[in-house]
Amino acid sequence: MFAVIKTGGKQYKVQSGDTLRVEKLAADAGETVQFNDVLMLGGDKTVVGAPLVDGAAVQAEVVDQVKGDKVIHFVRRRRKHSSKRTKGHRQKLTLLKITEILESGGDKTGVKAALGAGSVGAVAVAAADAEKPAKKAKAKAETAKPAAASGAGDDLKVLSGVGPALEKKLHEAGVTSFAQIAAWTEADIAAMDEKLSFKGRIEREGWVEQAKKLAK
């Protein structure tokens, strides 16, 4: 029996016992996670979802958190003083071993759902598990919003790829200074990518590195 699941914006055909690498999940090695987005079940009888198969699920054990092969990204801006930049990237991945394919009852197992490390659901779970950091972040956002409204803060348009419209979105998100951007962690970058709807741009443009220099 096999199943076709969806995770990290990709589809995978899996069978019990298979080992595969997927976009990084919010789970530790040894944990069991469950994929509820099952698009198709195959075997003696084929079931195609519309778009998902109701009640079906695939469970897997997290073997390890790994990184993919290094990719070299070269950027040349002909219209910006012929600037050049070479940047390496290794995608964070999760190594899984498929343990079970459920044709029904997936919604009643109680097994932790497989959520991407940067997804909205994963951020919500992390916030529930860490109440104090969440309160601290909320207080920080509340103090940042009045500053944006009054026009205080740094000129974020200095950052590569940031124009008036994008600067306005950053202000609405509570980001008004280079120091804030310079202090962003990987989790902050992932959350801001989701909020601003341009995945990967922050890293591609090198905002954090630029902000560290400008904040000095």
Side-chain angles (χ1 to χ4, degrees), residues 64-210:
D64 198 5
Q65 298 289 0
V66 298
K67 288 186 178 182
D69 296 332
K70 188 170 185 178
V71 177
I72 302 299
H73 179 61
F74 177 75
V75 177
R76 182 185 178 206
R77 294 184 176 84
R78 179 169 62 87
R79 301 182 186 279
K80 288 191 175 182
H81 309 291
S82 297
S83 65
K84 300 178 183 179
R85 184 178 68 197
T86 301
K87 184 178 180 182
H89 173 71
R90 294 185 67 187
Q91 183 66 39
K92 293 184 178 181
L93 304 169
T94 299
L95 183 63
L96 299 170
K97 182 177 181 180
I98 304 300
T99 56
E100 189 173 2
I101 297 176
L102 304 175
E103 297 183 60
S104 61
D107 54 342
K108 300 177 182 178
T109 61
V111 177
K112 176 181 177 180
L115 297 174
S119 68
V120 176
V123 172
V125 171
D129 293 338
E131 185 177 355
K132 290 183 179 180
K135 288 182 178 180
K136 184 177 180 180
K138 183 178 179 181
K140 184 178 180 180
E142 289 176 351
T143 57
K145 286 181 180 178
S150 63
D154 299 322
D155 182 8
L156 303 182
K157 295 190 296 297
V158 175
L159 297 173
S160 177
V162 178
L166 191 50
E167 183 183 44
K168 183 179 179 181
K169 288 185 177 181
L170 288 168
H171 284 173
E172 290 173 351
V175 180
T176 60
S177 69
F178 298 133
Q180 287 176 276
I181 298 174
W184 279 353
T185 63
E186 290 186 359
D188 294 329
I189 292 173
M192 193 59 65
D193 276 342
E194 293 283 345
K195 189 174 293 184
L196 300 180
S197 302
F198 52 67
K199 187 174 181 180
R201 184 171 181 180
I202 294 174
E203 290 188 348
R204 288 197 304 271
E205 298 290 351
W207 286 7
V208 174
E209 291 78 10
Q210 293 179 50

